[in-house]
């Protein structure tokens, strides 16, 4: 059964609830998300808010609805989230993406203990780069190009996520998670990394690629 809706704009819960009222939903995959690149101030607030709604708020609304249905009916099930290692450190040129992924991971880790003993498992996956339309319509900065060149098919995430359900809350998949969360952040403090990025990022070629020449107010 398909329910068409736009998760970047408020109003999507009505078709979702109407389209699923007569079925017992036991599996919820909060997988919607995309990245907006550029300097925060140079992207319109409307575009930021649409990105925020799709990446974070819709998962909150959808999860709240279906968790309540599961609890009320005594249905055992799974709530899954697709997050990112980007949420573990600063994400200049993609501030909404990094911050919303940080929210998803924290939310999943906090929700899991609340519903575990009602028979509902929660898992959040941190995937390494995935071959998808994710890279369309973004700035061609070096990190994006590196991720695109090393991306693998989405079936890899599915296998890891389903294998982790009921066994662990946070699922780390692929080389990037190992490099960032398994090694780098064990050796270097995240606050130090933020200070490092703030001090030196203006020297990177990518900084010039996303910088917009602003008109001075006369």
């Amino acid at each position: 059964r398909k329910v068409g809706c736009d998760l970047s704009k408020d109003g999507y819960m009505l078709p979702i609830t109407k389209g699923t009222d007569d079925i017992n939903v036991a599996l919820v995959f909060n997988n919607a998300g995309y990245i907006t690149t550029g300097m925060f101030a140079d992207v319109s607030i409307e575009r930021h808010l649409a990105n925020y709604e799709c990446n974070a708020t819709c998962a909150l609304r959808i999860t709240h609805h279906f968790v309540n249905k599961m609890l009320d009916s005594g249905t055992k099930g799974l709530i899954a989230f697709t997050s990112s290692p980007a949420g573990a450190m600063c994400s200049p040129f993609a501030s909404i993406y990094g911050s919303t992924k940080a929210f998803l991971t924290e939310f999943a880790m906090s929700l899991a203990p609340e519903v575990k003993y009602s028979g509902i498992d929660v898992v959040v996956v941190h995937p390494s780069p995935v071959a998808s339309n994710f890279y369309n319509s973004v700035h061609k900065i070096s990190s994006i190009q590196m991720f695109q060149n090393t991306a693998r098919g989405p079936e890899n995430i599915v296998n890891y996520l389903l294998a982790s359900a009921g066994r662990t809350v946070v699922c780390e998949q692929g080389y990037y998670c190992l490099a960032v969360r398994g090694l780098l952040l064990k050796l270097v403090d995240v606050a130090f990394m933020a200070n490092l990025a703030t001090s030196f990022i203006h020297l990177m070629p990518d900084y010039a690629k996303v910088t917009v020449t602003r008109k001075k107010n006369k």
Side-chain angles (χ1 to χ4, degrees), residues 133-149:
N133 293 329
F134 179 83
Y135 304 100
N136 296 351
S137 303
V138 297
H139 289 83
K140 300 302 180 182
I141 56 180
S142 59
S143 58
I144 295 291
Q145 291 178 323
M146 186 270 287
F147 294 150
Q148 192 169 13
N149 292 336

Side-chain angles (χ1 to χ4, degrees), residues 18 21 42 76 103 142 149 161 201:
K18 282 187 174 182
D21 268 348
D42 295 332
K76 295 181 179 181
F103 167 78
S142 59
N149 292 336
L161 187 151
I201 202 165

Side-chain angles (χ1 to χ4, degrees), residues 19-134:
T20 58
D21 268 348
D22 62 329
I23 56 177
N24 212 16
V25 175
L27 298 173
V28 177
F29 295 91
N30 292 290
N31 186 54
Y34 63 95
I35 187 171
T36 297
T37 56
M39 296 293 196
F40 172 77
D42 295 332
V43 177
S44 71
I45 188 60
E46 291 78 16
R47 189 175 177 188
H48 279 315
L49 290 174
N51 196 179
Y52 189 92
E53 185 77 30
C54 181
N55 285 20
T57 308
C58 77
L60 185 71
R61 295 180 192 271
I62 290 169
T63 299
H64 188 266
H65 173 72
F66 286 110
V67 164
N68 271 287
K69 287 194 69 174
M70 290 181 188
L71 293 173
D72 291 342
S73 64
T75 300
K76 295 181 179 181
L78 170 69
I79 307 292
F81 300 87
T82 301
S83 185
S84 170
M89 54 188 178
C90 62
S91 298
F93 317 140
S95 56
I96 297 300
Y97 183 76
S99 58
T100 52
K101 293 305 181 180
F103 167 78
L104 283 182
T105 298
E106 174 65 26
F107 177 55
M109 293 191 300
S110 300
L111 177 64
E114 296 184 11
V115 297
K116 173 67 175 178
Y117 296 99
S118 295
I120 303 172
D121 291 317
V122 175
V123 63
V124 54
V125 63
H126 295 153
S128 289
V130 181
S132 69
N133 293 329
F134 179 83

